[in-house]
Amino acid sequence: MTTPVSTAKTSGKEVEKDASMQKQKAMMAAHYDRLTAVPETGAKVCNTFVPGNLNELIKCFDLLNNLPEINAIQNGLRRLSGNFVLEAEKIGHSEDVCTYVKSDIGMMAKGNIAPNGKKFPAPDVLLLSYTGCFTFMKWFELLREQYKCETIMLHTPYMGDGKFTPNMIEYMVKQIRDEVIPKLERISGVKFDIDRLREYLKKSAVAEDDLVYVLETAKSRPSPIDAYFGGIYYIGPIFGAFRGTDDAIEYYRFLRAEIDERRAAGKGPVTPDGDMGTEKYRLVVEGPPNYTHFRQFWKMFYDEGAVVVASSYTKVGGVYDLGFRHNPDKPLETLAEYCLGVYTNRSLPMRIDMLTQYLTDYDADGLLINSIKSCNSFSAGQLLMMREIEKRSGKPAAFIESDLVDPRYFSAANIKNRLESYFQMIEQRRAANRAAA
Ligand code: SF4
């Protein structure tokens, strides 16, 4: 299944689309079609967020999952978010508010149109698995005002001490068992069946194994993947609406075979301009990307031979590479453990440990932080993290700034300059190391 199955035009060139890309595209399109067909099918909808999403549980109630961050990203990539952000500011939302939120609010004000051109359905329930970012709570307060629908809050204790305890798991399981499940049963009209949940969890774990396999191929030289720009595509099904499905299992099987083939051929990552040239720099990246200029941003890396071998952003919906898998033998406990472990719920020292370890494990040249203007959850403490990681690893770090889906905060010239200086810094460090050897 690794043979490219079709071609599409990108930047005036024909590029090959692999089986996994085709599969993912079809999955996303089908999902949006299911959502916008709700007026005809009568299906019920649960809006929820990526970090801590309980997709397996949601599926037990035949609810369709709608993820507002994914919709904001789609609007960013399609260059629609800028106007939506302005619209939200006109309504009164401050410039400092997370631009995912403003893109979502602006989209609703402008007709609430999904990527397939049809109207998004109103949610029947807002399920907030709160995992460390306060914005999630305020965002759903706004949606609740708009839709007047039920809201369920699952509180995840923050991992302030760098670990979770049996008490934390118990506290969460109690909420899931006594609050979340009964409310979802009532709203959906479907009785909870724990064996159905076990089946979905079993499927999740299969896909999670393959995702980790793919992400860890970046330890090879050259890396056959870009674990940030490319990684965003790879995490899509598991972080989105497909965990627990056969579609996700199939997608990751295709992807794994494709990446294995690239690695065996000694190839680097596929970029929007085709195969990347010689790998010159290996980076670990902290922070989300910019989506309004995604390709331009990525090009600044691959034009210089820079590949991202590990990133924290691809852990925002689950830190599977550190060993977590959804476990069908402990169905409710595993949902609790999943929410506790996601990146946004990890303390700064835990983030520092993780990124420092990545620099060693992936034999990277250094750390790059993309600080997102409107995402406090990621940005708070990043300078401190950078200094500490530099000190511990002895590797150079750099800091750039942009925004998620607000095009006003993407300054191409600034970012390019900083990246060029950073690559020079890496070269100087290499020369100094050679001289010292
Ligand atoms: S984690 Fe950042 S991007 Fe996500 S909702 Fe919170 S502030 Fe917004």
Side-chain angles (χ1 to χ4, degrees), residues 49 51 69 98-101 133-136 139 288 316 344 372 374-378 404:
F49 293 114
E69 303 111 300
C98 165
T99 51
Y100 278 171
V101 180
C133 174
F134 192 67
T135 301
F136 289 135
W139 192 346
V316 73
T344 48
I372 293 293
S374 68
C375 172
N376 293 331
S377 181
F378 264 91
L404 299 158

Side-chain angles (χ1 to χ4, degrees), residues 215 218 223 225-232 234 307-311 314 362:
L215 292 176
S223 169
I225 63 162
D226 185 289
Y228 185 53
F229 296 103
I232 281 154
Y234 306 154
V307 62
V308 180
V309 287
S311 66
T314 50
Y362 288 82

Side-chain angles (χ1 to χ4, degrees), residues 308-360:
V308 180
V309 287
S311 66
S312 52
Y313 185 61
T314 50
K315 313 297 150 46
V316 73
V319 184
Y320 299 106
D321 59 334
L322 299 191
F324 174 79
R325 294 290 180 278
H326 283 89
N327 179 356
D329 298 330
K330 299 190 298 175
L332 301 189
E333 290 82 354
T334 204
L335 294 176
E337 277 186 38
Y338 162 69
C339 291
L340 282 158
V342 297
Y343 192 73
T344 48
N345 202 49
R346 287 179 177 247
S347 66
L348 290 193
M350 292 177 89
R351 297 180 192 197
I352 291 170
D353 287 346
M354 187 173 146
L355 292 164
T356 310
Q357 195 60 44
Y358 281 164
L359 286 169
T360 307

Side-chain angles (χ1 to χ4, degrees), residues 10 99 114 137 186 203 239 264 332 369 397 413:
T10 305
T99 51
M137 210 153 31
R186 181 170 44 75
K203 290 183 185 182
F239 285 18
L332 301 189
I369 294 183

Side-chain angles (χ1 to χ4, degrees), residues 1-5 17-20 250 253-255 257-258 261:
M1 286 312 300
T2 59
T3 323
V5 293
K17 279 202 181 278
D18 287 324
S20 66
E250 199 179 346
R253 211 174 50 224
F254 287 174
L255 181 66
E258 286 160 13
E261 209 170 85

